[in-house]
Amino acid sequence: VLGYIGIGLGISGSIFASIEAISMQYFNPIFLKNILDSSKKKRTEAWNSMAKQIVPIYILASFFTIAMSEVLISIVASEKFHDSYVYIMFGVVIEFFRVMTNLLNNVSQSEYKTTETIKPYLVGFIISLGLLSSFDFGTDYFMIPLVLGLAYFSVFIYMYLNMKKLLDIKYDVNILKAILFSLPFLMVYFINVTDINLVLNLLVVSTFGLYFLFAVWLFHKHNLRENT
């Protein structure tokens, strides 16, 4: 069972790690340039602008990963691990709050107050360790990633409140638009991925992957137009 959990969380973790790395490689230098020798107001605007660009990417990535979970399992794992796609969905929740928390870390770095990030992570560690050691979940193994998701959510909320004290940050994100752009991913559920071969599964992932990139490009283009 731990193998099922490991595969599921590993796949979602790999996808989000790649998306986060590419996103930050592009946007972080822009953010650092904008906060260099700037006022507190300018640093706030710089973070808000970066969040406006990146958060929709993470929302799209969440829907993409959840929708593609069965297809991805069919590609990377043997048939006996097929049911572990459920843990990919749990992993998406964990990874979403992890990358959102990492995004908030930029606030502490811009204000040279990185010690403000210690308490949120400590609270998350205590919550996860406390719940996992205090309760016997028996065969309800899905509770393990659920507890981890709760811990990461707690870290995110605490981190946001701490960073809000340093800068007047806000999420100026059109969440509804991001969700609407994510709806085409649900078309994958009209495909019986268990009955098609590896090549067709790769074609399905590639097709929806291209749409994911197209949606990200549309968001980025729209935000650039607003800023000019």
Side-chain angles (χ1 to χ4, degrees):
V1 175
L2 291 178
Y4 279 70
I5 297 175
I7 290 175
L9 299 187
I11 291 174
S12 55
S14 297
I15 292 173
F16 270 84
S18 299
I19 291 173
E20 181 186 31
I22 295 171
S23 299
M24 295 310 297
Q25 189 173 8
Y26 179 83
F27 291 107
N28 203 45
I30 299 173
F31 171 72
L32 294 175
K33 179 182 178 181
N34 290 337
I35 66 173
L36 183 64
D37 298 326
S38 62
S39 64
K40 194 168 187 177
K41 180 181 178 182
K42 289 294 183 181
R43 293 196 299 274
T44 302
E45 291 175 353
W47 189 91
N48 289 344
S49 176
M50 181 170 66
K52 186 177 182 179
Q53 295 272 14
I54 292 179
V55 173
I57 297 176
Y58 292 159
I59 294 174
L60 287 164
S62 299
F63 279 88
F64 170 78
T65 309
I66 290 174
M68 295 296 115
S69 57
E70 283 194 78
V71 185
L72 291 168
I73 281 293
S74 299
I75 293 172
V76 304
S78 62
E79 190 175 345
K80 68 177 181 178
F81 289 106
H82 177 75
D83 290 340
S84 62
Y85 75 88
V86 175
Y87 294 105
I88 294 180
M89 299 180 183
F90 283 112
V92 167
V93 176
I94 295 171
E95 289 300 316
F96 178 78
F97 289 118
R98 181 187 67 79
V99 295
M100 290 291 285
T101 301
N102 289 346
L103 183 60
L104 288 167
N105 279 333
N106 288 279
V107 175
S108 66
Q109 294 171 13
S110 73
E111 302 306 295
Y112 298 102
K113 293 183 179 180
T114 54
T115 54
E116 294 294 325
T117 65
I118 296 175
K119 287 183 181 179
Y121 285 114
L122 183 61
V123 167
F125 174 75
I126 292 172
I127 289 175
S128 58
L129 184 64
L131 289 176
L132 290 174
S133 59
S134 299
F135 296 96
D136 180 14
F137 297 124
T139 56
D140 296 327
Y141 298 108
F142 70 91
M143 291 299 295
I144 297 174
L146 196 63
V147 167
L148 294 176
L150 177 62
Y152 274 97
F153 173 72
S154 302
V155 173
F156 167 70
I157 294 298
Y158 197 169
M159 185 74 77
Y160 174 75
L161 295 175
N162 269 11
M163 297 304 104
K164 186 76 172 176
K165 296 175 184 176
L166 301 179
L167 292 177
D168 187 24
I169 58 174
K170 62 180 180 179
Y171 291 105
D172 184 20
V173 179
N174 192 334
I175 297 177
L176 179 60
K177 183 179 178 181
I179 293 174
L180 289 174
F181 269 67
S182 300
L183 292 181
F185 293 132
L186 302 182
M187 292 172 61
V188 74
Y189 291 112
F190 293 101
I191 305 172
N192 190 350
V193 297
T194 58
D195 291 338
I196 60 179
N197 58 36
L198 176 62
V199 175
L200 289 177
N201 274 325
L202 288 171
L203 182 61
V204 169
V205 172
S206 299
T207 302
F208 284 100
L210 287 173
Y211 171 74
F212 168 77
L213 294 175
F214 176 68
V216 169
W217 176 76
L218 285 179
F219 262 97
H220 182 56
K221 183 180 179 182
H222 176 74
N223 289 331
L224 287 177
R225 192 185 299 119
E226 283 189 346
N227 294 332
T228 56

